[in-house]
Structures are given as structure tokens and as C-alpha cells.
Amino acid sequence: MEPNWLVRRATIRLLWRAFIALLALTVIAGFFVSHDHLAGPESTFAFGAWYGFGACAALIGVAKLLAIGLKRPDTYYDSASRDD
């Protein structure tokens, strides 16, 4: 059976290239658009790109910390059913 198109190596490589190109185009478009800055950091180059990256990295870090606290052993439900 042939794997789904989203898990093929060629598709993954194509998607990475497309998203990197889209990000580059977004940053380049920042040179041609006039911005009204409300705060100091917003006036830096590619603010939206690095702010989005930082927010994503922070969310991943919080999720990993939550996973440490919420993790249960693989036999968590098996041991509960044996007590009945």
C-alpha cells in the first residue's frame, strides 16, 4: 500500500521549501510596506517574523513543561482496572 501523500519524503521537502520561500517573501515585503509603530520593538526589522518564532518557541516550551507534570506511565489505566 502506498503511503499518504503527506508522509512522503518528496512532499515534506516540497512543503519545507514552500514555507521557507513564503517566509522570505513576507520578510522582503516588509521593505515595501509603510508601518505605523505603536511601541519601540515594533520598529525593528522583521518584527512579525521573530515575534512569531519566539511565541511558537515559548508555546513549545510550556507544552513540554506541562507534559512533565501530566505524564502518566503506560500502565496507568491497567493498574486501575486490576483494583476492581
Side-chain angles (χ1 to χ4, degrees):
M1 186 164 97
E2 190 172 323
N4 190 348
W5 68 276
L6 278 175
V7 295
R8 294 184 202 140
R9 280 196 170 294
T11 305
I12 293 171
R13 195 174 307 118
L14 177 69
L15 287 173
W16 269 103
R17 288 179 182 166
F19 289 136
I20 289 171
L22 183 64
L23 177 62
L25 287 173
T26 304
V27 171
I28 290 170
F31 287 119
F32 303 106
V33 177
S34 175
H35 300 283
D36 295 329
H37 306 293
L38 300 176
E42 290 180 11
S43 62
T44 59
F45 175 71
F47 171 76
W50 66 262
Y51 182 79
F53 176 78
C56 183
L59 284 173
I60 291 171
V62 169
K64 289 204 176 268
L65 288 173
L66 278 173
I68 291 170
L70 298 176
K71 193 182 304 185
R72 299 286 182 252
D74 291 339
T75 58
Y76 178 75
Y77 290 106
D78 293 338
S79 62
S81 63
R82 286 186 202 150
D83 293 339
D84 290 340

